[in-house]
Amino acid sequence: EITRILSVRAAPLGTRYVVVLANDLTESIRLDEVRRDFIANISHELKTPIGAISVLTEAIASAVDDPVQVRRFAEKMTTEADRLAALTADIINLSKLQANQALHMPELVRIDDVIDRAIESNAVVAGARNVVIARGEPSELTVYGEDPLLTMALQNLVSNAVQYSPDKSRVGVGARLVDDVVEISVTDQGVGIPKEDHDRVFERFYRLDGARSRNTGGTGLGLAIVKHTAQNHGGDVTVWSRPGQGSTFTLKLPVATGDDHVTPIPAARL
Ligand code: ADP
């Protein structure tokens, strides 16, 4: 089994010595593969809605005399176009997060505001299914980072909690300080995730049950976006879950100490 790939160069140094330069390429080759996989996945994921739109266009053209059918096809087309838009937005967001590991304009961010916005943006979908989103006491905690990115990350976690939960269940969102780390947790009473998938759900396009997840309209990129955002802020995201009982996703970020004038150093990438 090959474990490391080296590029080796040798040059004579005088008559008695040889200089050997060994460059470990293992990591860069692995990253190349990850990138190639990502692009292959993107093409595959984009093909589905584009193919559907093209078929629906033809269907509409041949059903012009039947307004009921035309309306039905047009509605389906809107769903597919929305899916395409969500997918494109997530791909762009994730690519930006991967490319810009350093934060652009970090500022002090109030966690209570981030939680409010994440709940607000999911309120309509949750309300339609009678899922109650309960928030903990205001924490008054702040972190140093980019508000829009943190809001997007928490929106994704709350949106998943609602999506993968039964009607009339409860989602809890709260923040607390553990040592120097702000822990924002999102708990649901949903389908849960088997232990062997706990790491994999953060991979791009990984879905537990392809058909089920795709039907819920997800892009398969939400948790990858959360993970990259956490890491770009010097933090991380973890999951606790039991199938049938529910899940808790916890976004962990270094608390702002008041003298944060430098961007947190991102944790190891990918
Ligand atoms: P998606 O757009 O498919 O939701 P994500 O990256 O957000 O993509 O999540 C990846 C997969 O992890 C989902 O398809 C789903 O199978 C699983 N998952 C995410 N959040 C939850 C949750 N709260 N409860 C159960 N399963 C979840």
Side-chain angles (χ1 to χ4, degrees), residues 117 176 178 187 203 230:
R117 280 193 296 269
R176 59 178 191 157
V178 179
T187 301
E203 289 175 15

Side-chain angles (χ1 to χ4, degrees), residues 160-161 164 188 191-193 201 206-208 212-213 218-223 247 249:
N160 279 350
Y164 299 109
D188 65 59
V191 290
I193 301 164
V201 288
Y206 188 78
R207 295 176 177 109
L208 245 67
R212 184 196 71 194
S213 304
T219 63
L221 293 175
L223 289 178
S247 313
F249 282 84

Side-chain angles (χ1 to χ4, degrees), residues 163-174:
Q163 255 184 46
Y164 299 109
S165 288
D167 292 359
K168 299 188 186 136
S169 61
R170 197 180 153 88
V171 168
V173 188

Side-chain angles (χ1 to χ4, degrees), residues 9-259:
R9 273 185 295 168
L13 184 72
T15 49
R16 292 183 57 196
Y17 298 99
V18 173
V19 178
V20 179
L21 278 176
N23 205 349
D24 190 347
L25 299 178
T26 320
E27 186 59 10
S28 84
I29 288 174
R30 194 185 70 80
L31 288 181
D32 253 11
E33 273 169 17
V34 169
R35 253 174 238 129
R36 243 177 294 148
D37 274 2
F38 185 37
I39 291 170
N41 281 334
I42 289 175
S43 325
H44 176 77
E45 296 286 331
L46 289 176
K47 264 186 200 154
T48 315
I50 292 173
I53 289 171
S54 141
V55 169
L56 287 163
T57 315
E58 284 172 26
I60 288 176
S62 53
V64 276
D65 299 330
D66 184 346
V68 178
Q69 283 285 63
V70 168
R71 174 182 284 265
R72 204 164 67 86
F73 292 143
E75 278 166 4
K76 282 192 178 174
M77 212 155 140
T78 308
T79 309
E80 294 298 334
D82 288 348
R83 202 179 144 56
L84 199 54
L87 199 56
T88 317
D90 271 2
I91 291 167
I92 292 170
N93 285 329
L94 187 58
S95 309
K96 278 189 196 155
L97 282 167
Q98 288 175 171
N100 307 319
Q101 295 166 17
L103 303 174
H104 286 309
M105 288 198 287
E107 53 183 341
L108 283 178
V109 180
R110 283 173 44 85
I111 292 304
D112 293 332
D113 296 346
V114 173
I115 292 178
D116 280 346
R117 280 193 296 269
I119 293 178
E120 178 65 37
S121 68
N122 282 285
V124 174
V125 175
R129 295 194 19 240
N130 288 316
V131 173
V132 173
I133 308 182
R135 58 159 307 161
E137 291 294 308
S139 67
E140 304 291 341
L141 292 166
T142 49
V143 301
Y144 193 66
E146 283 190 33
D147 201 328
L149 292 182
L150 294 172
T151 299
M152 174 170 66
L154 200 63
Q155 273 169 349
N156 286 352
L157 291 182
V158 177
S159 148
N160 279 350
V162 173
Q163 255 184 46
Y164 299 109
S165 288
D167 292 359
K168 299 188 186 136
S169 61
R170 197 180 153 88
V171 168
V173 188
R176 59 178 191 157
L177 187 65
V178 179
D179 298 325
D180 287 340
V181 177
V182 177
E183 295 194 353
I184 312 164
S185 52
V186 180
T187 301
D188 65 59
Q189 304 169 320
V191 290
I193 301 164
K195 197 156 181 37
E196 63 268 22
D197 288 309
H198 284 189
D199 287 337
R200 300 212 65 191
V201 288
F202 296 103
E203 289 175 15
R204 296 170 286 207
F205 295 119
Y206 188 78
R207 295 176 177 109
L208 245 67
D209 161 354
R212 184 196 71 194
S213 304
R214 213 164 262 133
N215 286 341
T216 61
T219 63
L221 293 175
L223 289 178
I225 288 176
V226 177
K227 183 152 196 133
H228 277 85
T229 304
Q231 292 182 338
N232 288 9
H233 283 78
D236 203 0
V237 54
T238 57
V239 58
W240 176 96
S241 186
R242 294 268 185 287
Q245 286 183 29
S247 313
T248 296
F249 282 84
T250 306
L251 186 56
K252 300 179 178 175
L253 303 164
V255 70
T257 56
D259 48 22

